[in-house]
Amino acid sequence: MTREEKSIAIQDLTAQLADTKIIYVADISGLNADTTSNLRRACFKAGIKLEVVKNTLLAKAMEASENEYGDLPSTLKGNTSIMIAEVANAPAKIIKEFRKKSDKPILKGAYINEEIYVGDKELDGLAALKSKEEVIGEIIGLLQSPAQRVISALKNQFKDEE
């Protein structure tokens, strides 16, 4: 890779990082071709962009980015893939699903809405995060519950009076 190609790759990565609030860094090395294809397919279906990157280029892109990645660049050793998503817990759920059959992918870290998570030990917590839609649904359910009780009580009251 020439110096110019590296510069272009860093610019592309920096632009990708600027456009997203959810980035997972994982090690998918050692997966056979079939498993890797299944992982890529699952990511595509979930709206996750999976890309294998060079550590030095990603580190330089993180450094050039306006976002603060904390200790995340220190995890860039060995083979590295990034997962870029719109839903915070989607990559963690896919990693957990694939870990039922294999010991990979290994979560190196994640950047989610300016929060930094480092290490594979964070996987269960990240998978348990609720998406924006799930939180909104719960809030709507909670708000509807008292109104439904009032309506039900009023209906029962009218039935009793008849």
Side-chain angles (χ1 to χ4, degrees), residues 28-151:
I28 64 169
S29 66
L31 294 179
N32 63 32
D34 188 45
T35 307
T36 302
S37 292
N38 290 338
L39 177 62
R40 288 185 181 279
R41 204 171 296 116
C43 287
F44 180 77
K45 285 180 184 175
I48 299 167
K49 182 178 179 186
L50 174 67
E51 187 176 336
V52 177
V53 294
K54 290 192 172 281
N55 292 327
T56 53
L57 300 181
L58 181 56
K60 288 181 180 182
M62 286 180 168
E63 190 178 298
S65 173
E66 293 180 11
N67 297 333
E68 179 54 49
Y69 292 100
D71 291 338
L72 209 51
S74 69
T75 67
L76 302 177
K77 294 173 178 63
N79 291 337
T80 302
S81 298
I82 58 171
M83 300 170 105
I84 298 174
E86 294 293 320
V87 179
N89 64 359
K93 286 181 176 181
I94 286 177
I95 291 172
K96 281 190 72 144
E97 185 62 34
F98 273 80
R99 294 269 288 271
K100 290 177 181 176
K101 298 175 186 164
S102 171
D103 61 341
K104 298 269 176 121
I106 295 174
L107 177 67
K108 292 182 175 187
Y111 171 85
I112 301 172
N113 299 320
E114 300 180 7
E115 293 288 326
I116 309 297
Y117 303 88
V118 176
D120 196 58
K121 66 189 180 309
E122 301 286 349
L123 186 61
D124 289 333
L126 291 171
L129 285 177
K130 294 187 188 254
S131 70
K132 182 179 176 182
E133 290 76 20
E134 290 170 328
V135 171
I136 290 171
E138 284 183 6
I139 291 171
I140 290 171
L142 290 171
L143 292 173
Q144 285 179 341
S145 180
Q148 288 172 339
R149 280 194 222 122
V150 169
I151 292 169

